[in-house]
Amino acid sequence: MEHASNTELTSRHDSVAQSKFGRMNVLARKISQTSRTCRSLEVIVQAHWVQAFDERAAELGLSMTKEKAKKTAISEACVDFSWTEKELRNKMAIWRGYHDIRSAGGWAALVFAGMGLYRFCKYRVSFTEDTFQQLRALRHRFEVAADCLHPRWRSLLAIVGAPTERRYTGHPHDWVVCGPGDEALPLATTYHQWDRNFSYTHLDESAIDEEAWGLFDPRTVTPLNDPAAYQCTICSERQSDDPRHNVCACFSNLYGSAKAGFMPVQVYRTPTGKNNGLLACCSFERGTAIGEFVGQITSGVANLDVMVGQTDRAAYQIWQGKQGNYTRFVNHSCQPNSQFERFIWLGTQRIVLVSKGIEAGEEITVDYSDTYWKNLDKECLCDSAKCRYRRRAKQLLTPPEHT
């Protein structure tokens, strides 16, 4: 009886501790979000202050030397701030960095810069023309991500009277980022030369074509009697959609853990004539999942690009022509930096795009395989030194000589 009472007491204490921990998690999250918002407002105002200072100094410079005008403006600010000139100049050096980042990369580059912004601007590490040239090139890419993922972020700009209307709306992959400094294009317009009515629905999970399969998912392997007993075929650990119960760590950024939101990739306009491609916005270490190949689970599709899957119960196709996710935009390369792998999660076969080692800013590519190229009479544009199809395609396109 004493043992039972102790167990009950421990369980009750665990419950109280768990409840307290949960409340503190929520509180810490709210405080962190509020702190980030306040910090964003702070750097917005400080960057804009530099602009106001420059305008005031320019105004004073109409009736005095530039150096004297600048010193006079500093003296005026010191009175309002109740700071010494040295204190203000120290602050100005950092705020000038914020202003320069905003000027090159736009407000989004400044607002979402992260915790290292202060040190970056204080010590001016990598404050070079190359850095700001890169910022200018990335400006619209930042704005697409910010506007689509954080629709209300521009409301912060109202504090300095800057425009608050979004430039980019909808899903982040409804926009195709282009060359350095160029504005992003609506996805549909990049396909108008082939289909004036092109549209694309972005999916988080594949959709079953009920005309082909009814309510049956052909990706399911032979089901277990106890769904709670699903084990990974790779690591042999237990799988669960509940992070508290999941032990399998395979492709943990996709399955069995708290989702991090959108994968850091963008659809971009390739400069080599391949239309659109997929760009890595951060590095993906070798073996890291980039995304699941998502689309319509169907069967019997002919003369269209499809992914073919096979389980012990059925063969199926995944078609991404009208609906799917960003993996649709991955181009072919004969020397790819990613590959497709089959993975079973909770008894359902998934096809996962896996990195072979990709650096930020690289195009993500995969080998479409010989099956894809077998009967095509077009030239491969991968431009790889190991291209297998460029010469063959040219031969197919060249009319035979008549003797």
Side-chain angles (χ1 to χ4, degrees), residues 96-109:
R96 177 70 65 180
Y98 300 162
H99 173 269
D100 292 345
I101 289 172
R102 196 277 303 172
S103 297
W107 283 115

Side-chain angles (χ1 to χ4, degrees), residues 144-186:
V144 167
D147 280 352
C148 295
L149 299 179
H150 305 278
R152 299 180 61 188
W153 79 272
R154 288 185 187 267
S155 63
L156 299 175
L157 304 181
I159 197 170
V160 294
T164 59
E165 185 178 354
R166 283 196 293 169
R167 301 186 66 177
Y168 303 102
T169 60
H171 194 282
H173 300 145
D174 279 334
W175 297 94
V176 180
V177 297
C178 300
D182 294 335
E183 293 190 15
L185 298 172

Side-chain angles (χ1 to χ4, degrees), residues 8 11 21 28 83 129 168 179 197 217 232 249 276 278 292 294 394:
E8 182 181 351
S11 176
F21 183 56
W83 289 345
E129 179 54 34
Y168 303 102
N197 298 314
D217 186 345
C232 178
N276 298 328
L278 193 67
E292 180 183 335
V294 168
K394 287 182 177 180

Side-chain angles (χ1 to χ4, degrees), residues 375-393:
N375 297 313
L376 290 180
D377 60 351
K378 62 181 181 181
E379 182 177 358
C380 176
L381 300 176
C382 76
D383 203 30
S384 165
K386 297 183 179 181
C387 182
R388 306 191 303 273
Y389 307 109
R390 182 169 53 238
R391 182 177 300 176
R392 185 212 63 161

Side-chain angles (χ1 to χ4, degrees), residues 75-105:
S75 297
E76 292 176 354
C78 286
V79 172
D80 292 331
F81 279 113
S82 297
W83 289 345
T84 65
E85 181 175 331
K86 181 179 180 181
E87 287 175 320
L88 180 59
R89 285 184 178 274
N90 287 338
K91 298 288 187 182
M92 283 180 63
I94 298 168
W95 297 358
R96 177 70 65 180
Y98 300 162
H99 173 269
D100 292 345
I101 289 172
R102 196 277 303 172
S103 297

